Amino acid sequence: MRNLTFAAILAAAILVCGCGSQVPQSYAYNAGINIIPIPVELTRNDGSFRLKSSTRICADSSAGVVADYFTAKIGRATGYALGRGDAASDVIRMAVDTALDVPSAEGYTLEVAPDLVTVTGKSAQGLFYGMQTFMQLLPAEIESSERVRGMEWTAPSVTVRDYPRFAYRGMMLDVTRHFNDVDFVKKQLDVLAMFKINRFHWHLTDDQLWAVEIKKYPELTRIGSVRHEQDGAVHEGYFTQEQIREVVAYAAERFIEVIPEIELPGHALAALSAYPQYSCTGGPFTHRLVWGVEPDIFCAGKDETFAFLEDILTEIASLFPGRYIHIGGDESPRDRWIECPDCRARMRAEGLKSPAELQIYFVLRIERHFNSLGKQIIGWDEILEGGVDPSATILSWRGTEGGIEAARAGHDVIMAPGEWLYIDKYQGAPEVEPVSIGGYLPLEKVYSFDPMPEGLTPEEEGRVIGAQANVWTEYMYEPGAPEYFIYPRILAVAEITWSPASRKDYADFSRRIDGALVRLDGHGIDYHIPMPEGPLSDRMVFIDSVALGFANTRHYPMVYTLDGTVPDSRSPLYTDTLRFGENTTLKIATLLPSGKTSRVREIEIVREPLSPATDRPSEPGIVSHTARGLFIDTLAMRDAEWSEPQIADGFARGRVESLDYKNPCVTVYEGLFEVPTDGVYTIFTDQYLLYVDGRPLIVNDGTTAIRHGLNKKTMALEAGRHSFTLVVNNRIVGGWPYTWSHATFYYIAPDSDKIVDIRSTELSH
Ligand code: ACM
Ligand code: ZN
């Protein structure tokens, strides 16, 4: 930092915003009733129940397991070892009553009175949910894994009658793109159960990894569970059968059914890398090193493929006692089948008129095997494309239309449309969020989804059994990273699948979220907190002064510092645009009612002179140099053997972008671009490096994928022509080949919000 005097900046900031107030630390998130999902019926009564060390748990025999679960849970946070037995007061009575007047076995009633808590489930599962509701009436700290001292553990007196709107309330986790282990899965099951989620769909196999042990085919894990990335990094992981059983049992204690997914006939390359003989071509294959859809799939012509898959599925069926097995079925290109003599012979022998009919044959043959094992299949909505047995359940992901069609055709339907329930999408502006798959899905949009589509008859509506959120992990690089994407959005999924549509109220849900987040803190969950958005770059250049305005997607307060310290609840509150006329480092974060802050956004605010335009003579076109090979960084490029320079009339659209990521190379483009006015430009590229006027402006370091203009910078440019060097490193980073991003860079002119693609402008050299 240059020219920084802290006092002057602070004075300037106060002049602008007139603030400096402190945010009171409070337990406001515990005020009122904050249950998620909101119950069907709840009446607030006078008084409250106080949980004490003397409180007893009274459980009938069918309630014993649930009583043990909550006794342990309460014990962890309160330090109370609650005794068993009945009494006239100071007791929590738990019972199961199969005749309870609620329309679902998952239903319950709960009466909290000053002297007594009575929880009655229609089943043990209903009781479990009644107790989860009771826990949510206690202060959020009750979810702490450690003893919390000095709390008064009171729950307001209420009468609750509650049951789910949908029987299927789920979440899918992909462990193949990035693996997360048993402890991670169990942690999620603990938390999902708190919010009455009852299905865990485990995406265990794909092109990028095979993540489940199959005893009969050890190569599936020896080879299929180890992915060697292009840069030499190894990504590996799988669940042993013992671990699978452990997770299934753990989930069952929390009334969660685990649904395994074995992908077929597509998304199968990890399996085929171990057993290429079950493909059409015979391979050899390695794991798919980029995301997306793979053409090599299981061969539908070879009987041995079916024998292989049936063996696998028989082992899977023995591990998962639930009624469902998911067989994938999505994104399965038929190109190989068209070419394959075995597949063609199969089509002739079975009288199949098209590869699409061959896919139906494939799914039906697998389905028959499952039905013989007493299982039902679930498949992605593609399996609907002609004739799958009505006993198959359809998971509608490409929208709700597949689900509607399936319900009309007599299938059970689970809604998981990407637009609302793919919780791998962005929750905020790309500049401030970790790289994600495309698309914007804030909490409010998830909440807005209604799993029940319009236009169905009552009978068809009965076939829409629920909804689930899908967590695909392509861009969730680090272990544990999915949590940031799952929470709090899964809480919206819990509410839209459990609570009646008439109880839906986003404003009230947003209020209840604040307490729920503290409950997540008790489990150490790394949930998303909206980031301060506004400035597009974390390096904001100015000429005279600059005004920066901030907002966050859920309208929480924001706090900031100008002295380099980390902002916290005692830091000045952001109230209005901040204006800067000196070099400053601004640190700003969103503040939750709990006092916890978001990740800190650090913005370097720097005065810069206009970078002068060049008046040297130039000719149309730009210069490019290429070197073959894999270059991990610029240091490696130093020793590259460069081709003779070529003159092109622009970035080689069609040429560079058709480069094959399997044959890496690097191309350096040099030239001049022109800007219309003096001022500060926002500049970005998804490519590896961009120099402007000889300065390394954008450095995408190559450790994770860069997309969506994540790394934007600002620069003060004089009107006229400026030199650039763009380095296009044709290789794969984090499953993303740079060739999937355009070979170009973009600017946003001063006082404009229009993005200018440099390829649409006059370039010269
Ligand atoms: C899917 O997202 N391909 C089911
Ligand atoms: Zn084939």
Side-chain angles (χ1 to χ4, degrees), residues 442-614:
L443 182 65
E444 185 166 8
K445 183 160 181 189
V446 179
Y447 194 82
S448 75
F449 182 68
D450 188 337
M452 187 58 73
E454 292 186 351
L456 296 183
T457 65
E459 192 186 347
E460 289 159 358
E461 285 188 347
R463 296 187 194 120
V464 178
I465 60 172
Q468 74 175 37
N470 290 343
V471 184
W472 301 103
T473 55
E474 283 94 331
Y475 299 94
M476 303 181 194
Y477 293 101
E478 299 300 323
E483 288 180 1
Y484 188 78
F485 293 84
I486 296 172
Y487 306 98
R489 289 186 287 194
I490 197 69
L491 276 59
V493 178
E495 185 144 312
I496 63 177
T497 51
W498 176 280
S499 306
S502 61
R503 295 283 272 155
K504 227 165 122 166
D505 176 346
Y506 182 70
D508 185 59
F509 175 74
S510 312
R511 180 188 64 75
R512 286 180 278 129
I513 279 283
D514 294 335
L517 297 182
V518 178
R519 291 173 195 275
L520 298 182
D521 287 332
H523 291 260
I525 295 285
D526 177 28
Y527 50 84
H528 173 257
I529 304 174
M531 291 290 291
E533 300 182 6
L536 295 181
S537 174
D538 286 344
R539 188 170 189 279
M540 295 300 290
V541 162
F542 65 93
I543 298 167
D544 299 317
S545 70
V546 62
L548 303 183
F550 292 89
N552 64 74
T553 53
R554 297 217 304 275
H555 315 294
Y556 286 119
M558 291 170 282
V559 284
Y560 68 94
T561 65
L562 302 172
D563 62 359
T565 60
V566 176
D568 61 24
S569 59
R570 291 156 305 186
S571 305
L573 192 62
Y574 171 87
T575 56
D576 205 346
T577 306
L578 300 173
R579 183 168 290 281
F580 299 92
E582 299 290 340
N583 288 3
T584 310
T585 299
L586 168 68
K587 292 190 181 179
I588 184 164
T590 301
L591 180 67
L592 296 180
S594 64
K596 187 171 174 174
T597 52
S598 67
R599 289 165 199 203
V600 174
R601 185 159 182 206
E602 181 171 334
I603 302 184
E604 203 189 335
I605 300 159
V606 198
R607 186 192 298 276
E608 265 184 18
L610 290 173
S611 183
T614 177

Side-chain angles (χ1 to χ4, degrees), residues 330-331 380 397 422 472:
D330 61 320
E331 298 179 325
W380 300 110
W397 72 279
Y422 270 40
W472 301 103

Side-chain angles (χ1 to χ4, degrees), residues 279-281 298-302 336-337 340-343:
S279 70
C280 288
T281 65
F298 287 121
C299 177
K302 299 181 177 76
R336 296 292 183 265
W337 288 358
C340 170
D342 293 324
C343 286

Side-chain angles (χ1 to χ4, degrees), residues 168-450:
Y168 188 113
R169 306 177 300 279
M171 187 182 89
M172 184 216 78
L173 178 69
D174 165 18
V175 291
T176 70
R177 274 52 179 263
H178 288 102
F179 186 77
N180 278 282
D181 65 10
V182 169
D183 287 343
F184 177 87
V185 171
K186 286 179 165 179
K187 185 180 171 195
Q188 310 318 309
L189 295 173
D190 282 342
V191 176
L192 296 176
M194 284 163 56
F195 301 100
K196 306 183 175 84
I197 300 270
N198 66 356
R199 300 284 187 273
F200 174 61
H201 165 184
W202 210 354
H203 187 80
L204 288 165
T205 73
D206 215 300
D207 296 316
Q208 288 83 5
L209 209 68
W210 182 277
V212 53
E213 178 189 25
I214 300 295
K215 303 267 192 208
K216 185 156 185 184
Y217 298 106
E219 301 294 272
L220 281 172
T221 42
R222 195 182 68 79
I223 295 171
S225 303
V226 185
R227 175 169 88 235
H228 295 269
E229 311 268 11
Q230 190 183 56
D231 62 5
V234 174
H235 190 82
E236 60 187 315
Y238 70 90
F239 297 94
T240 64
Q241 294 201 351
E242 197 181 336
Q243 287 174 322
I244 296 271
R245 288 201 177 89
E246 184 185 333
V247 167
V248 167
Y250 194 86
E253 283 168 22
R254 287 149 187 78
F255 298 93
I256 295 174
E257 179 178 334
V258 184
I259 299 164
E261 181 182 357
I262 303 297
E263 272 268 25
L264 51 89
H267 285 289
L269 200 61
L272 293 176
S273 68
Y275 294 93
Q277 60 270 40
Y278 305 123
S279 70
C280 288
T281 65
F285 306 108
T286 53
H287 298 70
R288 186 172 167 87
L289 300 181
V290 298
W291 315 132
V293 177
E294 171 62 39
D296 281 295
I297 66 174
F298 287 121
C299 177
K302 299 181 177 76
D303 283 333
E304 304 79 58
T305 305
F306 289 95
F308 172 70
L309 290 172
E310 287 172 11
D311 288 343
I312 290 171
L313 296 170
T314 301
E315 283 195 35
I316 290 288
S318 75
L319 291 170
F320 292 90
R323 81 206 89 164
Y324 294 120
I325 294 193
H326 193 306
I327 50 109
D330 61 320
E331 298 179 325
S332 196
R334 296 164 193 140
D335 313 48
R336 296 292 183 265
W337 288 358
I338 293 168
E339 303 289 319
C340 170
D342 293 324
C343 286
R344 286 148 67 131
R346 171 83 67 203
M347 285 173 62
R348 279 195 303 278
E350 298 288 336
L352 306 171
K353 288 188 282 299
S354 66
E357 290 191 8
L358 183 56
Q359 183 152 349
I360 296 159
Y361 167 87
F362 197 111
V363 173
L364 282 175
R365 188 159 163 179
I366 294 293
E367 187 179 18
R368 270 202 304 278
H369 177 71
F370 268 121
N371 294 347
S372 77
L373 297 171
K375 301 281 183 188
Q376 272 172 261
I377 65 164
I378 299 183
W380 300 110
D381 56 54
E382 285 96 328
I383 69 166
L384 205 57
E385 286 165 9
V388 67
D389 191 89
S391 71
T393 298
I394 302 300
L395 190 42
S396 186
W397 72 279
R398 293 179 296 178
T400 54
E401 298 75 18
I404 293 168
E405 192 192 322
R408 291 192 171 133
H411 296 273
D412 278 356
V413 170
I414 303 154
M415 288 295 187
E419 191 178 341
W420 293 277
L421 296 181
Y422 270 40
I423 55 175
D424 53 351
K425 295 176 193 279
Y426 279 99
Q427 304 172 77
E431 297 84 24
V432 295
E433 293 291 341
V435 65
S436 306
I437 201 155
Y440 182 53
L441 182 55
L443 182 65
E444 185 166 8
K445 183 160 181 189
V446 179
Y447 194 82
S448 75
F449 182 68
D450 188 337

Side-chain angles (χ1 to χ4, degrees), residues 152-179:
E152 241 188 57
W153 302 106
T154 56
S157 294
V158 290
T159 305
V160 178
R161 180 171 173 271
D162 197 17
Y163 50 86
R165 180 176 176 208
F166 292 103
Y168 188 113
R169 306 177 300 279
M171 187 182 89
M172 184 216 78
L173 178 69
D174 165 18
V175 291
T176 70
R177 274 52 179 263
H178 288 102
F179 186 77

